[in-house]
Structures are given as structure tokens and as C-alpha cells.
Amino acid sequence: MTDKIALIESAKNILLKNNVDGYTVPTHGLYPFQWNWDAAITALGWMKVDESRAWLEIEMLLKGQWDNGMVPHIIFHKPVDSYFPGPDVWGVKNTIPTTAISQPPVLVSVVKLMVEQANDKALAQAKLAEMLPSLIAYHKWWYNDRDPENTGLVVSYHPWESGMDNSPAWDESLDAVPPVTYKYKRKDLDHVDSDERPHAEQYDRYIYLVDFFKQSNFDSEVIYRDCPYKMYDVGIISILHKATKELVTLCEQSGSESEQITWFNQKLSATEAAIKTLWSAEHNSFLNQDAITKKSFPVLTTGTMLVVYAELVSNDQLALIKPLFNDWLKETEYGMSSTYAKCAEFEPQRYWRGPVWLHINWLLALGAEHYGLTEESEQLKQASERLITEVGYFEYFNSKTGAGCGGDEFSWTAAIALHWFL
Ligand code: DGY
């Protein structure tokens, strides 16, 4: 067997091993349920193994969709006790318990890719027709629920919603959230070293927010008015924007009503105008902003760089972002570190404060390619390939040493490798 065939086999085996009754856990133990953006990315890997299984991954995710359209960040399909906070702590009483927040909505972008790349076109078209109303409802929820004042920028209510949990970009806003004062047992530290995970002070606030949603009876208006954490997260805004553009294409191809398409196009235009308010001429970058205090945070993260993936960058901004993009890649060898290594907050091994993620390298490579940054795109791909060949399928990687971090045999890492370069 050549090395490449062995790598493909290992990646496929990871998906098979993490397969639980039609959905895929990111990794057993640490993340024993179905996560929103993990499921989407993982479906791309399943497309290389079994196309109907790939569609099932998305169908299982949509089983957790709320009546208001939200696709939650975790679907607790069945009880497992290796994770905290589980369904009882979240307190959502739906038939299938879920969390009360969402996650970066890469879902529609993935579905569009699946339709384009499917060998079984009839199956793909049938699945798309079935799920398109749910995908539309999900995107409507984002704009209606998270931007009720129609500013063009959706807000996020929890660092977990960003998928980039302990990013230093929201340290200050999270500090303003009261910590819980009762004792609880974290379970992530049973699986992973504490120096690769968020600090206790951050967890105390994550849990405060979970309690706040429950005490607010998950009422959208109350949460929008009173949530002590509200972030204009450039990563979420960018991923949503790109996915909405792709949703519009899917709607057009499927002959959806023109009012629907116009509505989404208006949302896209609003974001294209509003994103300019997050640009910092001082940092040559877009910055995350606290939606309560309107304070911007000068911490450069892969989230802020995802504007490139969203194709939200003007020519003038691109000329300024390009040297930053290059330097960022030079600072670490394995692709784009989740925090720019020249920022004081950079920690190469601690979760979203500096390590490298394969799916983020991929999203950024797509954006780089779009803007003609071919070398940078190729660099991201080669760095990612090196990590898989030399290190393995870890959740993320120390951006200075390349060492594997977090969970091992990780679904989205295997899936992106299968989709992107294997
Ligand atoms: C966790 O529990 O660490 C997850 O990232 C939440 O989504």
C-alpha cells in the first residue's frame, strides 16, 4: 500500500469508527454527540466513502432544528455521560434535546458542494429538494433572530457559538459576564491536557450564559435585550454571508419564489455595507466588536481573516490584507494559526488561542484562491497535508511545533483531508 492509500484508509476508518447510528461524533469521549459545523464538514468526508451516508449526516443534524429555524450547536441524540454541560444543564425540552445556541453556519456551503460533487445526481437533487426549506428557515433565523434591527451584522451570544471558544478576541467581553459561583465538574479535562483547553475562569462564564438562556426561557426578544455577551464575530458573519450567497444560488436553481431570493439578496447587501464599520485602518484588518459596548478588539484571529473566504474584501483592503496574510503564514509553518503569532495573546497550543485547524486552513485557502493568492492557497494546502502525513488526524495542531493537540482520530480533520487533498 502506498502511503497515500494508507492515509485514505485511516481517514475513512476514523469516520466509520466515529459513526453512531447515522451521525458522526467529532471524537469519542471528549465530544460524544453531533456538533453543527463538525457535522457539515464531516459530511464532505462521507461523500468520499458513501454518498447516502453523507446526506444522512445532514438529515440527522436537521432533526435537531428548532421550530424557529435555528439549527443548534449540539444535538444530543442519545445520552452519554462523558461530556459537560449535557442536555440537563441546557434544559431544552425538545423531543431531541439540543443546546440553545447555533454554530458557524457552513452547512449550506457544504450542501452546495455536495450537490456539485455528487456522483449520484438523482439522490443529491432529491435530498436538496427535501432539505432546502429547512436550510432557508435556518438562514432566516440567523437574520431575524440575531439581527432584528436589520443592521447587516448578526450577533453571537456565546463563545461556543463562534466555534472558536476561547479565542482571545472576546476575552474582555467574556470578562464582563459574571462567573457562576457554584461548583460543577468539567469533563473535557478527563480527555485532554489542561494547557490545551480553556481556563476555569472562562468556563465559569460559559456556564453562566447557558444558565441565562434557560432562565430567559429561550425567549429571543429577552435574550437579544438582556444577554450580557453580544459579539459581532467576524468569523460567523463571514461564514453566514458566504453561505447565504450559496443559498441564493441553490434557491435560483431550484426555482424558489423570487420574494425569498430578493429578501436574502437584501440581507447580503446590508452585510456588504455594514462590514465596513468593522474595518481597522490601524491594523489593516477587520476586527471583532462587542455589540453592547461597541468596542473593537485589536486581536487578529483566523475568524477576522475569514472575510477573505466570504469575499467581503474590497480591492483597497485586499492590498493591505495580503502582506498580513503572508506574514501570518511565515510566522508559523503549518498554515494559519488561530491567533496571529505577533499578537501578545498568542499561545501555540491552547485551543483557539494559536493552534492550527485543518478546516480553517481549507476555508482560507478557498478565499485566497478567489482573490488570486494562489501561492498562499497552495501553502495552506501543503502545510495541511504535511500535518496529516507527519502527525495524524488530531483535532488541532500546535502551530509552532506541529504537535497534535486536543482529541485524536478527529472526524472533521479526517473529512477535510479526504475532501481536500487525499
Ligand atoms: C466544548 O465543549 O469545548 C465545545 O467546544 C463546545 O462546543
Side-chain angles (χ1 to χ4, degrees):
M1 256 199 319
T2 65
D3 286 353
K4 193 143 184 170
I5 291 174
L7 284 173
I8 292 172
E9 282 309 299
S10 314
K12 289 183 172 177
N13 284 333
I14 288 170
L15 297 187
L16 293 168
K17 187 175 167 192
N18 292 343
N19 174 33
V20 183
D21 298 341
Y23 63 95
T24 315
V25 298
T27 186
H28 288 285
L30 181 62
Y31 301 124
F33 307 105
Q34 190 184 30
W35 262 255
N36 181 330
W37 71 331
D38 291 73
I41 302 281
T42 300
L44 285 177
W46 279 114
M47 286 298 280
K48 306 288 176 193
V49 181
D50 173 347
E51 293 190 6
S52 42
R53 177 60 187 78
W55 289 108
L56 182 59
E57 188 71 34
I58 309 289
E59 288 168 318
M60 292 299 282
L61 178 66
L62 292 173
K63 277 185 195 274
Q65 184 166 29
W66 284 20
D67 289 346
N68 68 2
M70 181 179 76
V71 179
H73 113 281
I74 306 177
I75 319 295
F76 299 112
H77 287 286
K78 60 180 181 191
V80 182
D81 66 6
S82 64
Y83 181 80
F84 177 87
D88 295 347
V89 184
W90 282 92
V92 174
K93 301 273 184 270
N94 294 353
T95 319
I96 301 179
T98 69
T99 60
I101 53 172
S102 193
Q103 250 189 338
V106 72
L107 178 60
V108 169
S109 301
V110 165
V111 167
K112 182 163 174 285
L113 265 176
M114 287 167 66
V115 170
E116 286 163 2
Q117 298 191 347
N119 290 316
D120 190 339
K121 294 288 180 209
L123 176 70
Q125 284 307 329
K127 293 295 175 189
L128 175 64
E130 262 169 47
M131 58 181 61
L132 193 57
S134 307
L135 302 177
I136 290 171
Y138 181 36
H139 277 241
K140 284 198 151 171
W141 170 82
W142 267 107
Y143 294 107
N144 288 332
D145 202 86
R146 298 314 185 82
D147 184 19
E149 294 175 77
N150 208 8
T151 64
L153 299 174
V154 294
V155 290
S156 144
Y157 293 147
H158 198 296
W160 285 342
E161 195 156 64
S162 72
M164 306 186 179
D165 307 11
N166 63 336
S167 168
W170 25 86
D171 280 354
E172 201 177 310
S173 300
L174 191 61
D175 275 354
V177 173
V180 288
T181 47
Y182 58 82
K183 293 249 171 305
Y184 58 90
K185 164 104 174 65
R186 272 175 75 168
K187 295 193 178 168
D188 56 325
L189 302 181
D190 296 345
H191 309 285
V192 175
D193 275 0
S194 59
D195 67 351
E196 294 173 16
R197 293 290 300 174
H199 292 289
E201 302 74 48
Q202 292 162 331
Y203 250 82
D204 289 348
R205 290 167 168 88
Y206 298 158
I207 302 305
Y208 178 93
L209 289 168
V210 171
D211 289 346
F212 166 79
F213 302 136
K214 195 169 43 185
Q215 280 151 17
S216 309
N217 290 319
F218 312 112
D219 182 317
S220 294
E221 278 178 34
V222 173
I223 297 173
Y224 185 73
R225 193 187 61 214
D226 296 341
C227 187
Y229 175 93
K230 275 205 265 189
M231 186 59 57
Y232 293 129
D233 168 359
V234 178
I236 287 189
I237 292 166
S238 298
I239 289 176
L240 176 68
H241 189 74
K242 173 83 171 167
T244 301
K245 282 197 260 186
E246 294 174 328
L247 182 60
V248 165
T249 307
L250 290 175
C251 286
E252 283 166 351
Q253 288 167 353
S254 307
S256 298
E257 288 163 21
S258 61
E259 295 84 55
Q260 187 107 273
I261 295 172
T262 306
W263 191 85
F264 280 121
N265 276 327
Q266 281 164 352
K267 297 294 167 191
L268 289 171
S269 304
T271 303
E272 277 152 21
I275 195 79
K276 297 188 184 120
T277 62
L278 301 183
W279 173 255
S280 159
E282 186 187 346
H283 297 91
N284 292 336
S285 174
F286 291 89
L287 298 179
N288 295 294
Q289 192 182 87
D290 187 311
I292 301 172
T293 63
K294 299 288 185 279
K295 187 168 173 193
S296 292
F297 301 113
V299 187
L300 307 187
T301 67
T302 40
T304 61
M305 209 34 118
L306 281 170
V307 281
V308 173
Y309 164 69
E311 302 165 10
L312 271 168
V313 179
S314 69
N315 287 342
D316 291 352
Q317 288 161 345
L318 184 66
L320 298 164
I321 284 180
K322 192 172 180 251
L324 174 65
F325 201 103
N326 267 302
D327 193 58
W328 204 316
L329 288 177
K330 269 195 215 110
E331 282 292 313
T332 56
E333 275 180 59
Y334 299 98
M336 196 159 269
S337 57
S338 40
T339 300
Y340 181 37
K342 286 184 178 159
C343 290
E345 296 83 355
F346 172 72
E347 287 181 80
Q349 87 298 346
R350 191 182 294 281
Y351 212 33
W352 288 93
R353 301 181 82 84
V356 167
W357 267 259
L358 240 64
H359 70 297
I360 300 289
N361 277 352
W362 171 64
L363 295 176
L364 291 169
L366 291 176
E369 218 169 283
H370 169 82
Y371 283 110
L373 310 180
T374 322
E375 265 174 47
E376 289 81 352
S377 172
E378 192 53 33
Q379 210 175 323
L380 284 160
K381 187 165 160 188
Q382 281 175 13
S384 303
E385 205 162 346
R386 225 180 109 201
L387 284 170
I388 293 311
T389 315
E390 295 174 11
V391 188
Y393 294 100
F394 285 87
E395 180 181 3
Y396 50 96
F397 301 87
N398 181 313
S399 55
K400 283 286 184 195
T401 66
C405 297
D408 193 0
E409 300 196 311
F410 216 83
S411 296
W412 66 11
T413 312
I416 280 295
L418 284 170
H419 171 75
W420 193 15
F421 49 77
L422 282 183

